Amino acid sequence: MANQHIDQDHEAKTKAIGWSGWKQSGVVRWVLLLLFVLLFYFSLAPHVLPKTYNIQLNKASDRDIQAPMEIKDEKATLQAQEQAAEQVEPIYSIVALRSELLLEQVFTRMEQLNQDDQVTHENKVAIYRSEIPQMYNDFVDQFVRSNKGNGTYNDSLLEEMANVVKDQAYRIPEETFYKMPQLTPVQLGDMQLVAVSIVHKLMGDSLREAETARTKVAELVNASTLSERKSREIVQELARYAIMPNKFLDKQATSDARVAAKENTPPVVIKQGDVIVHKGEVVNQEMYDRLSDFGLLQTKRNDWPQLGLLLFSVLFLIVIYGYLEHASNLSGGKRKGYTNAQLTMLLLIYVLNILAMSIIELTQTQTMPYVGYLAPTAMGAMLIVMLLDVQLAAVSSFLFAIVSSIIFNTHSGRIFDFNYGFTTAVVSFAAIFAIHRASQRSTILKAGIMASLFGSASVLAIILLGELPAKSDLIMTVAFAFASGLLTAILVVGLMPFFEVTFGILSALKLVELSNPNHPLLRKLLTETPGTYHHSVMVGNLSEAAAEAIGANGLLCRVGSFYHDIGKTKRPSYFIENQTNYENPHDSIEPKLSKSIIIAHARDGVEMLKAHKLPKPIRDIAEQHHGTTFLKFFYHKALKLAEEAGEEPDFTEEDFRYPGPKAQSKEAAIVGIADSVEAAVRSMRSPTMEQVESMIHKIIKGRLDDGQFNECDLTLKELDKIAQTLKETIIGIFHSRIEYPEDVKPKERLA
């Protein structure tokens, strides 16, 4: 019977290995990757590969042939360009003349000449009469020379400026020249400040006619600080003299604008979907040429588009495979998160997401292109976040954005319509950020609402940046984008149980459901073994804190801890935490039997968890949390009994070890440490902080020396972090029981 039982166990293990072997099979992996390429190729082919027809010249067509894209009508386009050029208004440009510099030259000359006693008053008047107008022309000519060829102003604009400015030059009255020689340096200084200020202010506006600004000079001068009448009169005349027009007809810019208007005139096109040739219509040369322009003739085989699409699909695959390899390298090359099972699930998510897009695309028309915004494009990203990985969801969102920009493209003249791609990226990332820490089913609905809001906002932004559609179309577009998020949430809620059951996925949502105290096993644990239940809750608190400290799955540790000792419900009285009201039954039975009972709780727990269909990660924690640890108490008790009976022991230390396996994951190892630490602290009457810390390090070191962490990837640094976190958590949980040193102040204890 024993041999038969061993054979059955071996056969079961062989089947399990065979079943799990495909998950790591290289052949299966390459088949799945090939399926990704085929998915991208065949889902995008109808949208990017051109259709061709066997059409004969001067023969009737056997079908209606529609334009697959917009094509330009050359003759009508030329007429539209000429009309657009005629409608361009002349362009006027501003030239910064800075005529206040001219004023400064005039005042400098006046100051020099007025101080020269060798020159008579009449000669000074004559000099002013000849030099000041000439200074005006020289200033303009110098400005033209200094700016010619430097790229600031074009030559035609400078020529136009010089002509207009000289034509509008102000003629200073004769009597002003007679007053100028009488001015002192102090008067000139005050006048210069006022004149320059007025000119600078009036020239700050754009002036096509200088006279417009010159009429305002008198008012500004009278409001100035100048008190002498003569000074005010001269400043008025000099300010009018210095004011020039600064806005001129720019012939070259006007010509360039007319050329640009021609270039920017949208071509007159034959619209996509317009019937080029009707069924039964004889194809003449003009029709034949038009069909040729559209690339609709099967005159010669063209395999380049198919090759391009295949390359496109391979590039998509490279993005996915590159990320999987990168994630694999980060985890030590073990592919822990991305077995073939996960890759199969990822492929299925891609199929469902692209299928949903394609179904919505069937309802999209040229008159209602906005129907495409209804597609639940964020569904794939949300499923990947909850079932696989946040980073993989971000990478996939990028791919889904490209796919949607192809599938929903209504402009066959180009491959992509990034209006849809941009919206897909926005809603996908919004959903990722809203759901990546989901702990309840309602979080999916919240993520859907976030996708709705961000989707509506992105669509509205796109609309406002372009040509505004009709009000009804605007409302429908935003409404479809909003409905997309809600549809996404509904589909994700419906699909999550399918993936969880089919692939045995333990999502955060599933873990939260399993932590419900109303679960039959947890109710059984509470009612039949309250001591074990309390122990499990404490272990859950400890293990969750330790796991989160090193970046492991804290929620899995907590829920796994709730179920890790469920096997004790079969024989509750044999475990010390449940022996409050009666004697320890181990005192009256053989150590070997005690050992068998204690060890059996792990195996019994796994069987109970299997019977209730709990996910494998939970079962693994129940099976592995003791690893192959040594039951020292019962071993030494057996040695003592053998010694007292005068018999040679017929057992070894290996007979008093748990059968294992050792912890295969960080989570199982952490639960095992927390299990031992909680039991040890509970057994201490009045522990001190030093005793707690010493006990934690002793337990971890003992397991480390015993090789219990050899099959999981915990590092020594992580073990130190776990020890520190467990100490802090225990102090928080058992605060009232832990004795503090006398020199620790109450405030420090509270901290």
Side-chain angles (χ1 to χ4, degrees):
M1 291 295 292
N3 291 337
Q4 183 180 359
H5 181 70
I6 292 173
D7 291 341
Q8 289 175 347
D9 286 347
H10 178 71
E11 183 179 354
K13 289 181 179 179
T14 302
K15 289 182 178 179
I17 292 172
W19 169 248
S20 62
W22 77 273
K23 296 181 180 180
Q24 303 296 338
S25 170
V27 175
V28 173
R29 193 173 188 83
W30 282 109
V31 170
L32 291 172
L33 295 176
L34 176 61
L35 290 177
F36 269 102
V37 174
L38 296 178
L39 169 65
F40 293 130
Y41 184 90
F42 288 107
S43 62
L44 300 179
H47 306 281
V48 296
L49 296 183
K51 296 180 180 178
T52 57
Y53 302 93
N54 185 16
I55 302 296
Q56 301 294 324
L57 183 63
N58 297 323
K59 290 188 177 180
S61 173
D62 59 350
R63 69 189 73 190
D64 286 339
I65 301 178
Q66 297 178 334
M69 66 187 75
E70 295 181 348
I71 192 169
K72 184 165 69 172
D73 187 330
E74 295 291 347
K75 184 177 180 180
T77 299
L78 184 60
Q79 293 176 349
Q81 289 175 343
E82 293 297 333
Q83 185 177 2
E86 292 174 0
Q87 293 175 350
V88 173
E89 297 291 335
I91 295 176
Y92 288 84
S93 297
I94 301 292
V95 177
L97 287 165
R98 297 193 62 191
S99 55
E100 61 268 19
L101 298 178
L102 174 61
L103 267 182
E104 293 176 359
Q105 295 177 16
V106 172
F107 277 99
T108 300
R109 178 58 175 152
M110 290 169 63
E111 185 176 355
Q112 293 173 349
L113 189 59
N114 286 0
Q115 292 179 359
D116 191 347
D117 297 334
Q118 302 299 321
V119 183
T120 64
H121 181 274
E122 289 73 12
N123 288 338
K124 290 179 181 178
V125 171
I127 291 173
Y128 288 142
R129 186 186 297 115
S130 63
E131 285 189 4
I132 290 178
Q134 186 60 40
M135 290 171 68
Y136 183 94
N137 293 330
D138 291 345
F139 175 81
V140 174
D141 294 339
Q142 175 61 30
F143 183 88
V144 171
R145 287 193 299 271
S146 62
N147 285 277
K148 205 163 192 177
N150 65 5
T152 305
Y153 307 106
N154 61 69
D155 292 348
S156 64
L157 177 61
L158 290 172
E159 182 180 352
E160 177 72 11
M161 180 273 298
N163 294 333
V164 173
V165 169
K166 290 180 180 180
D167 287 344
Q168 295 188 26
Y170 181 74
R171 184 180 179 86
I172 298 175
E174 187 71 17
E175 61 270 18
T176 303
F177 295 127
Y178 283 92
K179 297 176 183 178
M180 288 180 179
Q182 303 170 6
L183 298 173
T184 67
V186 174
Q187 290 175 317
L188 288 172
D190 295 339
M191 292 167 59
Q192 181 176 350
L193 291 175
V194 173
V196 169
S197 174
I198 292 172
V199 171
H200 182 75
K201 180 177 180 180
L202 294 177
M203 288 288 288
D205 300 328
S206 59
L207 301 173
R208 289 180 58 188
E209 297 292 336
E211 194 59 36
T212 304
R214 288 169 182 162
T215 58
K216 303 176 184 179
V217 170
E219 180 182 354
L220 294 176
V221 171
N222 291 332
S224 70
T225 58
L226 295 176
S227 57
E228 296 183 6
R229 179 178 178 182
K230 179 174 60 177
S231 298
R232 290 200 300 270
E233 290 175 351
I234 295 174
V235 166
Q236 287 183 28
E237 299 305 326
L238 291 178
R240 290 170 180 149
Y241 157 82
I243 291 175
M244 310 172 182
N246 57 13
K247 187 176 181 181
F248 310 97
L249 174 64
D250 194 333
K251 296 178 180 178
Q252 182 174 331
T254 303
S255 176
D256 293 342
R258 287 172 177 164
V259 172
K262 290 182 178 181
E263 294 176 350
N264 295 331
T265 300
V268 179
V269 297
I270 299 170
K271 294 183 178 180
Q272 178 188 5
D274 288 352
V275 177
I276 304 173
V277 179
H278 292 86
K279 183 178 180 179
E281 188 175 8
V282 176
V283 179
N284 57 29
Q285 187 63 50
E286 182 181 354
M287 295 178 182
Y288 193 82
D289 292 340
R290 185 169 292 173
L291 291 172
S292 179
D293 292 339
F294 278 115
L296 297 175
L297 298 177
Q298 294 181 352
T299 54
K300 59 181 179 179
R301 184 176 178 84
N302 184 10
D303 294 329
W304 293 115
Q306 287 84 352
L307 181 60
L309 179 57
L310 179 61
L311 180 59
F312 195 86
S313 304
V314 171
L315 290 174
F316 268 28
L317 173 65
I318 289 174
V319 173
I320 297 174
Y321 185 75
Y323 173 79
L324 297 181
E325 283 297 305
H326 174 71
S328 172
N329 292 334
L330 289 180
S331 63
K334 297 181 180 180
R335 301 186 191 277
K336 282 199 168 185
Y338 301 105
T339 63
N340 290 336
Q342 278 77 42
L343 195 57
T344 302
M345 181 166 56
L346 180 65
L347 175 62
L348 184 55
I349 292 173
Y350 268 74
V351 169
L352 292 174
N353 208 50
I354 294 176
L355 179 62
M357 293 185 196
S358 300
I359 291 174
I360 297 298
E361 188 270 336
L362 294 177
T363 65
Q364 191 182 27
T365 63
Q366 287 290 321
T367 56
M368 296 179 62
Y370 47 77
V371 175
Y373 291 115
L374 180 62
T377 52
M379 176 181 69
M382 290 174 67
L383 288 172
I384 295 172
V385 163
M386 293 186 293
L387 299 172
L388 291 169
D389 179 27
V390 174
Q391 287 79 15
L392 181 58
V395 172
S396 298
S397 298
F398 166 73
L399 299 182
F400 290 143
I402 297 177
V403 170
S404 67
S405 67
I406 295 175
I407 290 179
F408 296 114
N409 178 25
T410 56
H411 306 282
S412 294
R414 59 177 186 261
I415 299 175
F416 306 101
D417 185 347
F418 279 109
N419 289 350
Y420 295 97
F422 171 74
T423 304
T424 297
V426 169
V427 298
S428 296
F429 281 103
I432 289 172
F433 294 137
I435 207 171
H436 78 284
R437 292 189 180 275
S439 59
Q440 295 180 352
R441 299 282 173 184
S442 60
T443 309
I444 299 177
L445 179 59
K446 294 177 183 178
I449 294 174
M450 288 293 292
S452 295
L453 294 176
F454 277 88
S456 301
S458 63
V459 168
L460 187 59
I462 292 171
I463 292 174
L464 295 178
L465 286 172
E467 184 178 351
L468 287 177
K471 185 176 180 180
S472 60
D473 289 346
L474 173 62
I475 294 174
M476 290 295 292
T477 303
V478 176
F480 276 124
F482 188 87
S484 170
L486 301 180
L487 178 61
T488 299
I490 293 171
L491 291 174
V492 171
V493 170
L495 289 171
M496 276 296 293
F498 165 75
F499 282 101
E500 290 172 344
V501 173
T502 304
F503 293 93
I505 295 298
L506 190 56
S507 65
L509 302 177
K510 185 66 174 178
L511 283 171
V512 171
E513 290 178 357
L514 292 175
S515 67
N516 190 330
N518 289 323
H519 190 282
L521 286 180
L522 293 184
R523 283 207 310 269
K524 179 181 178 68
L525 190 67
L526 175 60
T527 56
E528 297 181 11
T529 57
T532 300
Y533 179 83
H534 181 264
H535 161 73
S536 299
V537 172
M538 293 295 103
V539 173
N541 291 332
L542 295 173
S543 61
E544 182 179 34
E548 290 181 349
I550 65 168
N553 191 335
L555 184 57
L556 174 59
C557 285
R558 169 182 282 275
V559 179
S561 298
F562 290 169
Y563 292 93
H564 81 290
D565 277 344
I566 193 67
K568 292 181 178 180
T569 57
K570 284 200 171 184
R571 304 173 189 86
S573 62
Y574 286 87
F575 299 91
I576 191 169
E577 66 266 24
N578 301 313
Q579 298 171 0
T580 54
N581 297 323
Y582 40 84
E583 295 181 357
N584 188 345
H586 291 288
D587 295 339
S588 57
I589 62 175
E590 291 289 328
K592 291 184 179 180
L593 179 57
S594 295
K595 177 265 300 183
S596 299
I597 293 173
I598 296 297
I599 287 177
H601 87 272
R603 182 181 66 251
D604 293 338
V606 173
E607 292 175 354
M608 294 175 68
L609 294 174
K610 278 185 179 179
H612 283 78
K613 295 182 172 55
L614 264 75
K616 189 175 185 300
I618 301 294
R619 302 199 306 267
D620 288 344
I621 289 176
E623 184 179 26
Q624 300 167 13
H625 73 280
H626 282 296
T628 59
T629 52
F630 180 41
L631 295 173
K632 294 181 181 179
F633 177 80
F634 294 110
Y635 173 73
H636 290 295
K637 182 179 179 181
L639 281 180
K640 184 177 180 182
L641 291 177
E643 183 181 348
E644 290 175 354
E647 298 174 354
E648 190 70 25
D650 58 350
F651 53 85
T652 64
E653 288 188 6
E654 295 300 319
D655 296 326
F656 282 82
R657 283 186 176 273
Y658 280 90
K662 296 177 181 180
Q664 304 295 303
S665 66
K666 291 183 179 181
E667 289 77 14
I670 291 171
V671 172
I673 296 171
D675 180 48
S676 299
V677 168
E678 195 281 334
V681 172
R682 184 166 25 87
S683 67
M684 301 169 71
R685 292 184 178 274
S686 299
T688 65
M689 285 193 295
E690 291 77 9
Q691 288 174 334
V692 169
E693 185 173 10
S694 175
M695 176 268 298
I696 293 173
H697 283 290
K698 182 179 178 181
I699 289 173
I700 292 178
K701 185 177 185 303
R703 287 189 169 235
L704 182 64
D705 294 340
D706 197 27
Q708 297 302 316
F709 305 135
N710 290 354
E711 297 180 18
C712 66
D713 51 356
L714 278 175
T715 64
L716 292 177
K717 183 178 180 180
E718 288 174 334
L719 288 173
D720 286 340
K721 188 68 175 177
I722 290 170
Q724 178 66 23
T725 305
L726 287 176
K727 184 189 80 170
E728 294 171 356
T729 308
I730 287 172
I731 291 172
I733 295 175
F734 299 99
H735 186 271
S736 60
R737 290 185 51 205
I738 296 177
E739 295 183 358
Y740 290 83
E742 293 181 359
D743 60 342
V744 177
K745 298 178 181 179
K747 289 185 178 180
E748 292 176 347
R749 295 183 186 180
L750 183 60

